[in-house]
Amino acid sequence: MKEQTSAEEFPVKIIARIHTDFSTKFGVPRQSGLVDALRGEIVFEPDYRNPDALRGIQGFSHLWLIWQFSKAIRTSWSPTVRPPRLGGNETMGVFATRSPYRPNPIGLSVVKLVSVESRPGTGPVLAVSGADLMDGTPILDIKPYLPYADCHPEATGGFTDQVVRRTLEVDFPEPLLERIPPEKREALIGVLAQDPRPAYQRDPDRRYGLTFAGRDVRFTVAGDTLTVVEVVPGPEKE
């Protein structure tokens, strides 16, 4: 008998890419919608710049983005992962987490639709807020968020309900804050307040670095206070 393959494969096309202020993974919010002030722009690939494909989208306040963990592609997979929010010490089934290390490196995010613009050379562009994606992340599909079907206030969060979610007080000295473009400041402070550090790192003397909007923002955390200690120009985009 001819041996059957364990799974079928089918091609998936990249329809767009999102542009955000995150050039690296460190600091990207752990879930979408946590920092509403974050802005992103979705630019479609040439084959998908037909404005008819977006007809009616402005009637929806939020969208589902289906995207690729383009920096976490592996040739193999593991049935268990160590969620960082559990300190990296406990294992959970990969399908019980949102880990990027999955059989298919696909992510799912809800974003708020801010506007739809038409630009010369790029066609329609979607401006969104609350995205938890790196700059240049491939978008595989876009679907409208339907409140009557997608919102479930009674839902439970599994092991994540046991994790204490807190925000940090951000001490951002004014001379350093002035090095950040004014329209980016609220978003950056919101990102820092979410505590970008891995859950297992709690050294108050350690200095961390976050690349945001072309700046390297360096900070320390002691107790519930994050203090920005330096802001310098970040690496140039390739």
Side-chain angles (χ1 to χ4, degrees):
M1 177 180 294
K2 184 178 179 180
E3 184 178 351
Q4 294 183 336
T5 58
S6 59
E8 295 182 358
E9 296 182 359
F10 63 92
V12 175
K13 300 179 185 295
I14 296 173
I15 67 165
R17 293 183 185 273
I18 190 169
H19 297 286
T20 70
D21 287 313
F22 295 102
S23 61
T24 64
K25 292 188 294 183
F26 186 78
V28 176
R30 294 178 176 88
Q31 305 294 340
S32 59
L34 294 180
V35 183
D36 185 64
L38 283 174
R39 295 293 185 264
E41 291 187 341
I42 297 172
V43 178
F44 289 87
E45 295 292 286
D47 287 348
Y48 302 97
R49 291 177 180 173
N50 188 330
D52 287 341
L54 298 177
R55 187 181 301 170
I57 200 169
Q58 290 175 303
F60 298 94
S61 65
H62 292 73
L63 304 172
W64 286 107
L65 302 182
I66 302 170
W67 47 278
Q68 181 189 56
F69 285 104
S70 53
K71 301 298 183 181
I73 298 176
R74 295 181 173 183
T75 57
S76 60
W77 72 286
S78 170
T80 59
V81 295
R82 298 177 182 272
R85 298 310 286 169
L86 294 180
N89 299 317
E90 298 184 47
T91 58
M92 293 289 171
V94 65
F95 299 130
T97 74
R98 296 190 176 187
S99 167
Y101 304 112
R102 333 181 58 78
N104 294 305
I106 295 174
L108 183 68
S109 298
V110 173
V111 296
K112 184 177 181 180
L113 178 61
V114 177
S115 66
V116 181
E117 303 177 19
S118 181
R119 299 179 184 172
T122 58
V125 175
L126 303 181
V128 299
S129 67
D132 56 337
L133 290 82
M134 285 178 56
D135 183 54
T137 294
I139 305 297
L140 306 178
D141 203 359
I142 298 171
K143 297 178 184 290
Y145 178 93
L146 304 178
Y148 78 90
D150 296 337
C151 181
H152 298 277
E154 77 285 0
T156 58
F159 68 86
T160 66
D161 286 343
Q162 305 168 24
V163 179
V164 177
R165 286 179 284 277
R166 64 189 180 93
T167 56
L168 299 176
E169 185 73 24
V170 178
D171 179 7
F172 209 136
E174 191 66 27
L176 297 180
L177 185 61
E178 289 176 354
R179 299 180 185 178
I180 305 297
E183 71 277 10
K184 306 285 186 182
R185 294 172 187 174
E186 180 184 357
L188 175 57
I189 292 173
V191 168
L192 295 172
Q194 292 295 321
D195 194 353
R197 301 172 300 165
Y200 52 84
Q201 291 183 356
R202 289 294 182 266
D203 183 356
D205 297 321
R206 179 166 181 167
R207 181 179 289 200
Y208 301 88
L210 165 68
T211 302
F212 183 85
R215 311 292 194 279
D216 276 349
V217 181
R218 298 164 187 174
F219 60 90
T220 60
V221 182
D224 291 332
T225 301
L226 181 151
T227 302
V228 177
V229 296
E230 191 176 18
V231 175
V232 297
E236 294 184 1
K237 288 188 177 181
E238 297 181 356

